[in-house]
Each structure stands twice: as structure tokens, then as C-alpha cells.
Amino acid sequence: MGGGERHSCMLAQVLAERGHEVELVAHEDVGKDLLADHLGLNLAKVSLRIVPDRGERDMANLSADYELFVNASYMSRVKARAIHNVYLCYFPTPFDHDLGGWRRWAVRRLGPHVRGGRPGPSGWGLGWFPPEGGRRRSWTWTSGHAELLLPGGGERVLGLDLGRPGAPGPVETVLRDERGLQVARLQASPERFQRHYVTLPSSPRDVEIAFDSDTFVPGGGDDRTLGVAVSQLRMSGQRRSLKELAGEKLPWLLRNPQDLSFLDHYQRVLANSEYTRTWIQRYWSVDSDVLFPPIRVQDLRPGRKERKILSLGRFLAPGTGHSKKQLELVEAFGKMVRRGRLAGWELHLVGGCESHQRGYLDKIRGAAEGLPVHVHANAPRPLVEELLARCSVFWHATGLGEDEERRPWVFEHFGITTVEAMAGGCVPVVIDKAGQREIVRHGVDGYRWSGLDELESYTRALARDVALRERLAASAVERARTFSEEAFAARWSQIEANLGIT
């Protein structure tokens, strides 16, 4: 229920308000009223359709039910089959971005030779993480729901080792076929891997087996959601080629990051920013239309401004997600305060924090000790809006110290919180990278900085000049309206007309 979900659900609301019959397709019943309330939307005219997660082929078949199908799932490769198909892209993250350097090299150089043969007894579908382990044993984690493609034939026996190393406890795993019927119920223990044998009925064609189980988050910087670990997959009585053995032992070699054939099934790709549009062109070699996210600027109003600086974003340690670099901001603020250059000013850090990020949050609190720094983890929305109204300056540092050419996906693809801060009358002082460049006009609405020394210089200038703050804040409020819900609806109308949708 974040910015991406609000982007797609706002489009559903706009279409429904124009008289179209609109369905949101999901694999879990999140509760439409809860979704609407959390995202601040009116989904009364929108239906929620719950379908089992049986993979991208099944979703492609489902898309044929519609006149317009909008794919808003991150990194999805569904080959849509509606009359009109649109791909809403938050960023064209490469399919092998999570692999190390040598594995990416192997996927691109050796993968085509492995993928050239029949995948054997373990054609890996959705829901699997890259393999891990050591020389004696390697295993592959499921994400709670994972799909395995098995070859057809007579009655066969699937052998596998099931475990849960590092988990807080055991779990039951249910294996189901493509119809959702139970094939087996197996136990996975954190103490050791246990061998299981599952008899499969004869089938003239390949069959898809799903592994379903409860999940856990390891913590300690590992923010993955893990189900069970599968090792030593074997199909009795079947001879395998060297290619098939390689694909079974090293399933990540079966990935094909160069396969962009899914794009042929979409009339248009929509980007959430010009930054994303640039990388869509570089990675996918296709043009796209920009549809900025809709911001609730009408709900935000400047209040009585105080000497407070605000940073708004989830608490994520570098290397574990889209880090907002709060630790670096606290350290920079501390240096300014200790030098006597921001006397009487406070720094407020606001954002969600999941349990596995508590270590990073503790580091931030440790760095803030003795400083006028206030950390608001998992703050309620009313407090967020109060701080947006009262704070005078807004800081944003996502991408600080990162290499845009090597990992462009770790930067702010747009910057919803920056627009919200501007609507609340905060003067933005943000990193001069990625989506921030499209929002903040340097010297007009706020400032963009390239290093922490510039962050300090611009902040000090604002701190000592009330008239400058008021002038830039007024311009920021006006600029924020460029990204309003009304602007979103108007831009969609242009895209809709170009697509020939009525």
C-alpha cells in the first residue's frame, strides 16, 4: 500500500468515475475499504477481483477478459492479451539485478547454452530466490508461494530435501497442482533437511506444482520473506542431459534478462517520471509516456512555520532496499549543530520501520543522541501532516554515495514525499539526482545539492533568511500543484486519446 499502489489505484478510480467497469486484480483479499482508506482514494465504483497466483501464463489468459488491461506489477513479464494493453513501469530493473558480478556474467554468457535445452525436472517459475549454501549442500528458498515446472510422463516420483535453516520454527508445506488440488503435505524443519518423496500421477504434458507455506523474515539486514528451502531435487527414472543437470544445479542460469518479448504485447509503456523514461529507453529500447504519480496536494496546507527540518521516508539500511540515507543526514546535521551553525533548529525523521530494520534505526538513534533530533518511526498520518505543515525545510538524500550508471534503481525514481513537503510549505533542499531534478527548480522552489557541503550551505542560507524561506515556500506550494490528482487525470486523458480508448 505504497506509492506504486496509489499510482495504479488512482488510475482505477479515474476510469471508474468516467463510467467504465473497473476491476483491481489481486492474489489476496487486502480489503477494498482498507486499501481505499490507507491510500486516500474513493474506490466505491471499483471492484476487487481475487484470483489464485498461478503464474504469468495464467494471468495472461485472464487479461483476455478485458478491453483495457493495465499491468502495474513491479518487474512483471505477463504477456497481456486484452484489446488494449498498457504497462505501468515504476523502474525497468534488470531481471538479474540481485545477482553478484560473476553470476550476472554467467547468466549472460553461459545461460543461453543451458536454456537451450529442456529444463529437465526443475523448470523454475515464479517465487524462488537465487540459490545459496556451500559445497556440500546448496538450496533455493521459496517466497511462500513458488512454482516448479515438471515434465510430463507416466507415474513419476519427485524426490526433494526440505529444510528451513535459520528459521524460528518448523512449517508445513502444501504442494498443489495447477487446479489447486493438494498433491502432498510436507514438513520443513530449521534443525535439518529431510528427504521427501512425492508420487505424481501420469500426465501427457508438463505440469506445474506450487509450494505454499507460511513465511518469516530473517533480519540482520536480510529483508527477504522466506518460506522453505528446497534442495537435491530429483525425478526418478529420468535421464538428464548435461544442460538439464546444469539448470537443475544452478537454476539462476535459466534466467534470461535479455528476453523482453513481453513488451511486444503492450501498446504503450507508462513511466512514473522522466528519469524512469530515460532508463526504459536505455534498458528496453522503447519509448514511453510519462504519467507522474498523483499527489494529495489538496489535503496539505502550510501552517505556522517553525525552525524545524523534516526528512520523510522508510528506514532502510543501505544495501537492503531503497535507502533514504537518514544516518548520513543525522551525521551532517550534527556537524552543523556542533559548529554553532544551526542554533535553535531541530531535525525530524519520519518513516515506517519494519522489525528487521531495527538495527539501522538503533544506529540512527545512537548518532542522534545529544542532538535536537526527533525520530518518529511508524508515525500515524495525522502526525506526518502536522510536521509537513510546521517544518520549514525538507531534506532528501536518496542516492547519496551511489553510482547511477551501475545501480540506477536505488535512486528516487520520482519523489512523492518531496512533492508532499512542498505542498505543506517546506522548502526542499534535495539531492541533485534522478527524479528530484524533475520536481525542484533550483533557486525557484528550493535547492538541489551534489554534496553534503552544499546541503549545509543552502540550509544555513535558509536558516538565517526568513524572507528567502517564505518566497521559496510560496513557489514550492504552487509547484506541487503540477503533480496533483487533477493533473494526473488530465494527463491520463491525453494518453487515453492517443491509445484510441473510448
Side-chain angles (χ1 to χ4, degrees), residues 190-207:
E191 281 80 28
R192 63 185 179 88
F193 279 87
Q194 183 175 351
R195 189 68 176 170
H196 297 277
Y197 295 95
V198 179
T199 301
L200 301 174
S202 61
S203 173
R205 60 181 182 84
D206 292 356
V207 295

Side-chain angles (χ1 to χ4, degrees), residues 27-28 53-54 125-129 140-148 162-164 171-176 186 188 209-218 223-230:
H27 299 310
E28 296 179 18
D53 185 359
R54 296 197 178 109
L126 299 176
W128 299 94
F129 287 98
T140 304
W141 282 100
T142 73
S143 59
H145 176 88
E147 299 159 358
L148 189 67
L162 213 57
R164 227 177 177 222
V171 73
E172 184 177 64
T173 306
V174 180
L175 273 61
R176 304 182 191 277
L186 310 175
I209 299 295
F211 289 66
D212 291 316
S213 69
D214 290 338
T215 60
F216 74 102
V217 176
D223 62 348
R224 295 178 300 171
T225 299
L226 304 178
V228 295
V230 179

